[in-house]
């Protein structure tokens, strides 16, 4: 499949998204300041850093209380309006950081909420108990034309204007967009618009202003920078490590093997950490929007099934939900994700193990149970009655893999994101499809 060559083409800015004639450079969003990554012969890294520097400066002004709303009050609430890639990635990172002690300390007294669905119920939820006087709205839309996002933006604008008057918009609304003309027409000061580029696909955009801006307003830029450094460390590993030791490559190969050779179409993402509760919905989008294709990159129908059905839920919740199917029904390869050190450890007096140890004993037991199962002979030796033996037999030999992270700080959250992003890219490269367009989203819309 010329995998090495394709990885290098991506990192060197070749237009591998051929149906849209674009480079694919989300890796540039988290590259170090001195890196050189070209698109159309121009190093894009300085542009990326100029936006990051602007975000750093704006977030410091905002968080210090120097930026005030129309009535002179500092703003402590942020509502980020955007859908799809403008929402799921930032929400995943926000949820994962909320209970990290360092990030939580930095976010004290602040709220970050996301508004995605055009359903007015989502609007009502996102502004419930918020005061327009202390709220900043970030409108995230590359073109400033996304139907759902712009209707939601107009709805929130009306909420601000009806309370504070039309002149309040420039103090209470900012944008992440490339269309400065429409930003200005909407009433947002173009100086308060933060750019990103067409070589960033929506679902790969959490490391651009799309995620970095709202997350920096909530947690401060230094914490978000650690997240970006974690992602960059995996990009570097992905580009340079030999395939036998290359985590995203090995994971991508396993997925291709499970889907296209063994015929297992689904994959369960099972983080044993409540902080990662929004990992599966985000990866669901990155994976299924990227690789849900029926034709090759050259437009020829594929002679095999590509793409994976992704779903998941944090353990131990999932164990009481769908693990029955995984253990005794269809074969579904599983990703188990565990963390050695809890973000919020609890040690109750008189308990034999800590709460986190209880969680992790499940994390270690489940892959074993899937692999080894339980035989009729074992059940008989336990004096299980004969009529129940078929119901209590577990065939075993069910595939899973486990990640064990040392802790779950901003850095590791970045690493986890980049492992999955790069793994999905590997799958697409091997299947010979374009993982970077999404024409399939258009017809229903």
């Amino acid at each position: 499949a010329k995998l090495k060559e394709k990885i290098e083409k991506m990192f060197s800015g070749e237009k591998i998204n051929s149906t849209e004639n674009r480079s694919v450079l989300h890796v540039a969003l988290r590259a170090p300041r001195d890196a050189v990554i070209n698109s159309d012969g121009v190093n894009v890294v300085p542009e990326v850093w100029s936006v990051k520097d602007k975000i750093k400066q704006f977030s410091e002004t905002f968080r210090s209380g120097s930026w005030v709303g129309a009535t002179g009050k500092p703003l402590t609430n942020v509502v980020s309006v955007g859908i799809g890639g403008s929402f799921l990635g930032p929400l995943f990172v926000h949820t994962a950081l909320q209970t990290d002690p360092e990030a939580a300390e930095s976010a004290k007294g602040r709220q970050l909420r996301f508004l995605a669905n055009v359903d007015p119920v989502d609007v009502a939820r996102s502004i419930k108990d918020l005061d327009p006087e202390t709220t900043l709205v970030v409108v995230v839309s590359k073109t400033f034309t996304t139907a759902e996002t712009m209707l939601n933006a107009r709805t929130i604008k009306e909420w601000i204007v009806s309370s504070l008057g039309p002149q309040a918009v420039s103090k209470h609304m900012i944008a992440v967009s490339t269309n400065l003309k429409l930003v200005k027409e909407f009433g947002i000061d173009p100086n308060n618009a933060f750019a990103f580029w067409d070589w960033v696909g929506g679902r790969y955009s959490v490391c651009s202003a799309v995620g970095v801006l709202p997350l920096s307003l909530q947690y401060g830029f230094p914490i978000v920078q650690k997240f970006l450094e974690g992602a960059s460390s995996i990009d570097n590993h992905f580009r340079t490590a030999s395939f036998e030791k290359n985590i995203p490559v090995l994971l991508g190969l396993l997925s291709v093997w499970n889907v296209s050779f063994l015929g297992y179409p689904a994959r369960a993402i099972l983080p044993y950490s409540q902080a990662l509760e929004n990992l599966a919905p985000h990866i669901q989008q990155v994976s299924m929007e990227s690789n849900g294709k029926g034709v090759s990159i050259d437009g020829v129908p594929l002679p095999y099934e590509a793409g994976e059905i992704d779903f998941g839920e944090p353990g131990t919740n999932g164990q009481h939900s769908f693990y029955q199917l995984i253990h005794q029904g269809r074969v579904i390869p599983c990703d188990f994700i565990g963390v050695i050190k809890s973000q919020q450890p609890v040690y109750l007096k008189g308990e034999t193990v800590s709460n986190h140890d209880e969680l992790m004993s499940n994390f270690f037991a489940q892959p074993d149970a899937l692999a080894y199962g339980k035989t009729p002979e074992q059940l008989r030796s336990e004096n299980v009655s004969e009529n129940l033996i078929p119901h209590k037999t577990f065939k075993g030999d069910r595939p899973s893999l486990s990640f064990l992270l040392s802790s779950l700080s901003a850095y590791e959250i970045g690493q986890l994101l980049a492992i999955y992003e790069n793994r999905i890219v590997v799958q697409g490269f091997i299947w010979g499809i374009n993982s970077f367009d999404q024409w399939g989203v258009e017809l229903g819309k």
Side-chain angles (χ1 to χ4, degrees), residues 29 47-63 138 174-176 191-197 206-218 220-222 224-225 228:
L29 300 170
E47 293 177 55
V48 169
W49 273 92
S50 83
V51 174
K52 281 200 268 200
D53 290 338
K54 185 178 171 182
I55 291 173
K56 180 174 188 282
Q57 189 184 354
F58 182 84
S59 62
E60 284 168 0
T61 308
F62 176 83
R63 288 168 57 81
V138 184
I174 63 174
V176 177
N191 293 322
N192 299 328
F194 297 80
F196 61 122
W197 304 271
V206 63
C207 295
S208 73
V210 166
V212 172
L213 177 59
L215 292 165
S216 296
L217 296 174
Q218 177 71 0
F221 185 81
V224 182
Q225 180 54 26
L228 297 171

Side-chain angles (χ1 to χ4, degrees), residues 12-79:
S12 57
E14 280 195 38
K15 295 189 173 178
I16 60 171
N17 176 357
S18 52
T19 60
E20 297 178 304
N21 195 31
R22 290 175 181 169
S23 304
V24 175
L25 285 177
H26 50 275
V27 293
L29 300 170
R30 53 241 190 172
R33 205 183 274 269
D34 57 0
V36 177
I37 299 176
N38 290 322
S39 176
D40 283 326
V42 178
N43 182 13
V44 300
V45 176
E47 293 177 55
V48 169
W49 273 92
S50 83
V51 174
K52 281 200 268 200
D53 290 338
K54 185 178 171 182
I55 291 173
K56 180 174 188 282
Q57 189 184 354
F58 182 84
S59 62
E60 284 168 0
T61 308
F62 176 83
R63 288 168 57 81
S64 70
S66 319
W67 177 283
V68 293
T71 60
K73 289 185 179 177
L75 309 181
T76 51
N77 308 311
V78 174
V79 178

Side-chain angles (χ1 to χ4, degrees), residues 16 42 52 58 87 143 193 265 288 336 367 374 378 395 439:
I16 60 171
V42 178
K52 281 200 268 200
F58 182 84
F87 152 67
T143 58
M288 292 164 79
F336 291 97
K374 196 158 190 181
Q378 286 171 304
K395 284 183 181 161
W439 303 109

Side-chain angles (χ1 to χ4, degrees), residues 28-308:
L29 300 170
R30 53 241 190 172
R33 205 183 274 269
D34 57 0
V36 177
I37 299 176
N38 290 322
S39 176
D40 283 326
V42 178
N43 182 13
V44 300
V45 176
E47 293 177 55
V48 169
W49 273 92
S50 83
V51 174
K52 281 200 268 200
D53 290 338
K54 185 178 171 182
I55 291 173
K56 180 174 188 282
Q57 189 184 354
F58 182 84
S59 62
E60 284 168 0
T61 308
F62 176 83
R63 288 168 57 81
S64 70
S66 319
W67 177 283
V68 293
T71 60
K73 289 185 179 177
L75 309 181
T76 51
N77 308 311
V78 174
V79 178
S80 184
V81 183
I83 199 163
S86 302
F87 152 67
L88 287 161
L91 177 65
F92 148 61
V93 180
H94 171 50
T95 314
L97 284 172
Q98 264 180 322
T99 38
D100 168 60
E102 186 192 12
E105 182 59 37
S106 199
K108 256 194 182 146
R110 303 186 171 279
Q111 272 193 84
L112 171 59
R113 296 187 186 176
F114 293 89
L115 168 57
N117 200 333
V118 76
D119 183 342
V121 168
D122 205 19
V123 177
R125 284 178 175 178
S126 70
I127 58 175
K128 186 179 188 297
D129 302 329
L130 293 188
D131 184 345
E133 278 189 282
T134 53
T135 302
L136 181 74
V137 178
V138 184
V139 183
V140 185
S141 173
K142 189 185 285 189
T143 58
F144 237 59
T145 57
T146 311
E148 300 97 326
T149 299
M150 295 322 296
L151 180 54
N152 277 337
R154 291 191 294 275
T155 310
I156 294 274
K157 180 182 175 181
E158 178 53 36
W159 174 68
I160 289 166
V161 168
S162 63
S163 174
L164 305 172
Q167 80 296 339
V169 173
S170 62
K171 283 289 191 186
H172 290 264
M173 297 188 86
I174 63 174
V176 177
S177 181
T178 49
N179 193 334
L180 293 182
K181 182 175 176 285
L182 289 187
V183 166
K184 189 176 181 184
E185 284 171 19
F186 186 87
I188 294 173
D189 183 344
N191 293 322
N192 299 328
F194 297 80
F196 61 122
W197 304 271
D198 70 2
W199 39 257
V200 183
R203 57 193 171 276
Y204 295 98
S205 69
V206 63
C207 295
S208 73
V210 166
V212 172
L213 177 59
L215 292 165
S216 296
L217 296 174
Q218 177 71 0
Y219 297 106
F221 185 81
I223 284 177
V224 182
Q225 180 54 26
K226 287 179 188 173
F227 160 74
L228 297 171
E229 284 164 7
S232 182
S233 74
I234 294 295
D235 293 338
N236 191 41
H237 161 82
F238 175 49
R239 190 178 187 179
T240 59
S242 67
F243 283 175
E244 310 87 86
K245 293 189 172 147
N246 192 312
I247 295 168
V249 169
L250 293 172
L251 294 175
L253 287 168
L254 283 167
S255 280
V256 170
W257 177 249
N258 284 329
V259 172
S260 300
F261 291 81
L262 300 183
Y264 305 142
R267 169 180 62 178
I269 298 169
L270 309 169
Y272 277 65
S273 163
Q274 194 62 33
L276 296 175
E277 66 181 297
N278 285 311
L279 174 65
H282 176 50
I283 298 310
Q284 200 172 22
Q285 186 208 15
V286 184
S287 168
M288 292 164 79
E289 196 169 79
S290 293
N291 291 339
K293 306 290 163 67
V295 296
S296 75
I297 197 159
D298 303 319
V300 179
L302 294 175
Y304 45 78
E305 296 285 353
E308 222 162 15

